[in-house]
Amino acid sequence: MDESSILFEGRVERVAYPIVVTGPSGAGKTSICKGIVGDCPDVAYSVSATTRPRREDEVTGRDYHFVDEDRFRELMGAGELLEWAEVHGRLYGTPRFSVVPFLESGKKVIMDIDVQGGASMRKVFPDGVFVFVIPPSMRILEERLRNRGTESEEVLRTRLRNAREETRSWRQYDYLIVNDELDVALDRLKSIIAAEDSRLRRLIPGS
Ligand code: 5GP
C-alpha cells in the first residue's frame, strides 16, 4: 500500500487527550482553564473534588464537587480518584468520572491542578500535555491573591509561602506560560492545543 494512502482512509481523527494546567495558586490557572472551555467546544473542564469550603461565587458540580473528608476518603478508597493531594491544608482530587468519559467521547479534558497533582498525572497520562503557568512576578502574585479577597490573611500567607516551593518543579513540564495578560495567555494555550492536535502521533497512533 502507498504510504500516503493511510492519510486518506478516514484515519485522521479528532484527537482526545488531557491538558494538565498547573503552577502556583494565584497564577491564574482557573481563569485560563475556564477561558479555554468557554471558547473551545471540544475541550471539557475536569471538575475536581475538594474538602475546601465553597466560596460565595462557586457552584457545586461546576467549579468543584464540594465534599466532606469522609466522602473524599471514600472516593480515594474506591479508586475513584486519578490523583489527589493535600494543598494548603485541604484535600483536592481528580475524579475518574470528571475525565475518562470525556476522553472516551473524543473530547480533550483540561484540568487545573497543583504541582503534586501534575506530577501524579504524568504517570496516569504520559501522553498528556503538561503546561506550567506562572505569574510575571511574586509581587504580582501577592497582589492577585489579595485582590481576589477570598482568603484570610493567614491562608494568604500560606499560599504565598507555598508558591515559591510550587514553582520549583517547572522543568518537568512541556510548556511554560507567563500569565501577564489573560487574553495573551489564553491565545498561547490555544496555539499549544492547535499544535498538539496536529501531532502525527496523536492523529495516527503508532506513526
Ligand atoms: P483553590 O482552593 O484556589 O481553588 O485551589 C487551590 C489549589 O488546588 C490550586 O493550585 C488548584 O490548582 C489545586 N487543585 C484544584 N483541584 C485539584 C485537584 O483535583 N487535584 C490537585 N492535586 N490539585 C487541585
Side-chain angles (χ1 to χ4, degrees):
M1 189 177 41
D2 173 5
E3 253 291 282
S4 63
S5 66
I6 198 172
L7 301 178
F8 302 107
E9 288 172 353
R11 292 183 61 173
V12 177
E13 290 173 4
R14 241 168 11 124
V15 286
Y17 51 87
I19 304 158
V20 177
V21 176
T22 186
S25 97
K29 301 184 300 269
T30 312
S31 307
I32 292 178
C33 290
K34 297 259 161 128
I36 291 289
V37 172
D39 291 349
C40 311
D42 59 342
V43 182
Y45 183 71
S46 163
V47 180
S48 297
T50 185
T51 59
R52 160 168 84 59
R54 189 175 67 79
R55 296 182 189 134
E56 217 170 77
D57 58 340
E58 288 178 325
V59 176
T60 191
R62 182 193 70 186
D63 299 297
Y64 279 106
H65 297 289
F66 295 98
V67 295
D68 61 21
E69 198 159 326
D70 284 351
R71 175 68 185 136
F72 194 95
R73 299 212 176 270
E74 205 176 286
L75 287 169
M76 260 166 68
E80 280 297 321
L81 299 180
L82 294 173
E83 62 74 39
W84 68 273
E86 189 178 322
V87 190
H88 317 309
R90 302 285 184 178
L91 298 170
Y92 293 80
T94 307
R96 191 175 290 276
F97 60 74
S98 292
V99 177
V100 176
F102 294 105
L103 292 177
E104 284 175 356
S105 74
K107 277 197 167 199
K108 291 176 271 276
V109 181
I110 195 161
M111 37 194 119
D112 161 3
I113 60 180
D114 88 311
V115 292
Q116 306 167 74
S120 310
M121 276 301 181
R122 201 42 124 173
K123 294 182 194 123
V124 182
F125 295 114
D127 216 30
V129 177
F130 290 78
V131 182
F132 202 72
V133 178
I134 54 166
S137 68
M138 285 306 277
R139 186 181 53 77
I140 291 179
L141 180 69
E142 180 166 355
E143 246 169 59
R144 283 183 189 167
L145 286 175
R146 282 194 190 284
N147 290 343
R148 199 154 83 176
T150 48
E151 263 79 43
S152 65
E153 183 63 26
E154 190 195 338
V155 173
L156 199 131
R157 287 275 135 225
T158 314
R159 286 187 176 231
L160 281 172
R161 212 177 321 113
N162 291 349
R164 286 193 183 276
E165 196 55 41
E166 287 168 341
T167 305
R168 285 187 213 285
S169 64
W170 60 274
R171 282 182 199 279
Q172 289 153 23
Y173 291 80
D174 302 319
Y175 296 97
L176 177 73
I177 295 180
V178 180
N179 183 18
D180 195 353
E181 279 179 51
L182 180 60
D183 285 351
V184 177
L186 268 176
D187 280 346
R188 289 226 163 202
L189 187 49
K190 283 179 196 165
S191 305
I192 291 169
I193 295 170
E196 290 289 334
D197 279 355
S198 296
R199 256 193 209 276
L200 266 176
R201 69 175 161 81
R202 295 198 193 281
L203 291 167
I204 302 169
S207 63

